[in-house]
């Protein structure tokens, strides 16, 4: 679903998260492991303030494992703990209670020193649309309870989901808005499906993707579409269009007159990328961040 975010929505979303923060001990900031920087809300530090936070690199099953390790190092260097998960299949999800405990170790120890029995850690999941918030909440709950369809400003009664006795989670996530002012981040968000196609031109998104794939995952691209003589980089848009055309020809995406149907080819490429058929891929590196 495409959401039109307006300043009023953002203010309301920020206020709603600030209200929820009063109820919880730890924030789980959900990012897309394929685009950890582009899937981050630009104001997340300001919004979460001093609340302990665990960065969850979700959809790790679709991301390049080496790059996920790089990103974890990057976030650690910024003082943020990270954990890679696959909310769909559940990989890494059962470690969440322990990861949260590690973050709150000192607080828990103080409670123990005072003779108090530590109560379950209360957590809130936050993230931009499509990053997997509902999937993770449903996985932790063991059933479908999360309200799907992110809409800023829609309030409803919230409840706690108990997970394994040590962790409690708010069933309504904090919904953040994506980056708008960085066009490259926009392409990455569109490539992974976080922004729907109608926001950007499909063939432009495909050309952006091809540039990244040719430079970082050339052999996977060659293998998937049987491409010959793929260059090691694409210096301009025309070079990317040439590769898109080759894929279209190989896959029979042809319109009358024998021309390549670029839109159909772009759809095919993006579907293959998003479903992991091209292999595990990460579309941005921490070395270019900051
Ligand atoms: P949201 O609440 O943050 O908006 O995201 P949601 O849970 O609805 O997840 C968005 C899509 O991402 C869903 O696909 C979901 O299955 C998928 N997803 C979530 N976590 C993971 C993960 O760890 N690995 C993989 N591979 N996929 C994950 P969908 O229902 O097909 O939606 P869409 O792709 O049609 O948007």
């Amino acid at each position: 679903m495409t959401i039109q975010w307006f300043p009023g929505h953002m203010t309301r979303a920020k206020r709603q998260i600030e209200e929820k923060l009063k109820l919880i001990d730890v924030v789980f900031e959900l990012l897309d492991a394929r685009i950890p920087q582009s899937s981050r809300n630009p104001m997340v530090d300001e919004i979460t303030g001093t609340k302990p936070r665990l960065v969850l690199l979700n959809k790790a099953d679709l991301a390049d494992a080496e790059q996920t390790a790089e990103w974890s190092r990057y976030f650690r260097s910024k003082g943020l703990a990270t954990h890679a998960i696959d909310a769909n299949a559940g990989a890494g999800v059962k470690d969440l209670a322990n990861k949260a405990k590690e973050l709150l170790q000192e607080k828990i120890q103080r409670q123990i020193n005072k003779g108090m029995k530590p109560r379950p850690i209360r957590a809130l999941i936050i993230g931009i649309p499509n990053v997997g918030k509902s999937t993770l909440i449903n996985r932790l709950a063991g059933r479908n309870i999360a309200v799907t369809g992110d809409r800023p400003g829609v309030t409803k009664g919230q409840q706690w989901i108990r997970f394994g006795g040590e962790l409690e989670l708010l069933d309504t996530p904090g919904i953040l808005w994506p980056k708008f002012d960085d066009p490259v981040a926009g392409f990455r968000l569109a490539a992974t499906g976080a922004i729907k196609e109608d926001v950007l031109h499909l063939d432009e998104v495909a050309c952006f993707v091809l540039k990244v794939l040719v430079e970082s995952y050339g052999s996977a691209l060659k293998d998937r579409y049987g491409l010959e003589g793929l260059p090691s980089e694409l210096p301009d848009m025309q070079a990317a269009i040439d590769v898109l055309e080759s894929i279209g020809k190989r896959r029979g995406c042809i319109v009358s007159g024998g021309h390549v149907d670029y839109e159909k080819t772009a759809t095919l490429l993006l579907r293959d990328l998003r479903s992991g058929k091209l292999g595990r891929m990460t579309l941005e590196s921490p070395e270019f961040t900051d």
Side-chain angles (χ1 to χ4, degrees):
M1 184 181 64
T2 308
I3 302 171
Q4 296 293 326
W5 286 87
F6 298 108
H9 288 137
M10 295 182 192
T11 310
R12 218 172 314 146
K14 184 169 177 276
R15 209 179 303 134
Q16 277 179 7
I17 291 177
E18 283 162 355
E19 281 303 309
K20 290 175 203 268
L21 287 178
K22 293 177 191 158
L23 309 173
I24 54 117
D25 305 302
V26 61
V27 173
F28 291 153
E29 181 191 355
L30 212 54
L31 303 179
D32 185 326
R34 297 165 299 173
I35 51 166
Q37 192 62 28
S38 298
S39 59
R40 279 198 111 188
N41 170 275
M43 286 174 68
V44 68
D45 290 339
E46 187 191 321
I47 294 172
T48 54
T50 56
K51 200 56 90 173
R53 187 168 16 138
L54 177 62
V55 171
L56 295 178
L57 297 171
N58 190 35
K59 310 198 186 186
D61 55 309
L62 297 173
D64 177 333
E66 268 177 41
Q67 286 289 311
T68 301
E70 284 290 325
W71 276 106
S72 297
R73 274 193 284 279
Y74 167 81
F75 284 116
R76 260 202 309 279
S77 76
K78 303 279 167 199
L80 282 164
T82 58
H83 183 50
I85 61 166
D86 167 1
N88 239 0
V93 171
K94 65 174 179 346
D95 308 323
L96 281 182
N98 277 338
K99 294 280 170 191
K101 258 191 346 203
E102 277 169 28
L103 269 182
L104 297 168
Q105 222 170 11
E106 283 179 21
K107 190 176 169 186
I108 294 170
Q109 196 52 51
R110 274 200 306 274
Q111 289 174 343
I112 293 171
N113 292 346
K114 284 185 195 160
M116 290 156 71
K117 186 173 174 291
R119 58 168 177 75
I121 295 168
R122 296 194 144 179
L124 169 70
I125 291 175
I126 62 169
I128 66 166
N130 252 311
V131 81
K133 297 180 297 299
S134 314
T135 308
L136 179 58
I137 291 171
N138 290 337
R139 164 122 334 245
L140 286 164
R143 60 193 199 284
N144 274 6
I145 55 142
V147 188
T148 42
D150 291 322
R151 233 170 301 143
V154 176
T155 46
K156 71 162 193 100
Q158 46 195 12
Q159 286 175 7
W160 295 101
I161 301 162
R162 181 64 79 93
F163 182 64
E166 290 180 307
L167 185 68
E168 283 181 355
L169 190 74
L170 266 187
D171 67 347
T172 47
I175 301 160
L176 292 164
W177 57 97
K179 290 189 164 75
F180 294 119
D181 47 3
D182 174 356
V184 180
F187 278 124
R188 292 185 181 123
L189 288 162
T192 53
I195 294 180
K196 293 298 172 211
E197 277 105 20
D198 49 3
V199 179
L200 291 167
H201 287 291
L202 203 61
D203 37 7
E204 275 188 78
V205 177
C207 285
F208 168 83
V209 165
L210 281 174
K211 189 167 165 50
V212 178
L213 298 197
V214 163
E215 284 166 18
S216 304
Y217 303 104
S219 58
L221 195 62
K222 248 191 256 179
D223 290 351
R224 174 85 190 152
Y225 303 115
L227 302 175
E228 308 280 344
L230 195 65
S232 57
E233 58 181 51
L234 301 177
D236 50 35
M237 189 73 164
Q238 187 54 53
I241 293 171
D242 290 346
V243 177
L244 192 64
E245 186 163 335
S246 305
I247 295 173
K249 281 185 186 152
R250 297 286 309 182
R251 283 302 162 107
C253 301
I254 307 290
V255 282
S256 57
H259 302 293
V260 165
D261 183 336
Y262 291 104
E263 200 159 310
K264 196 170 169 193
T265 314
T267 304
L268 179 137
L269 175 74
L270 294 177
R271 203 182 303 137
D272 284 355
L273 174 80
R274 290 173 192 161
S275 63
K277 286 203 180 102
L278 275 160
R280 295 172 60 169
M281 292 173 176
T282 299
L283 301 180
E284 64 185 346
S285 298
E287 63 191 286
F288 299 115
T289 309
D290 295 337

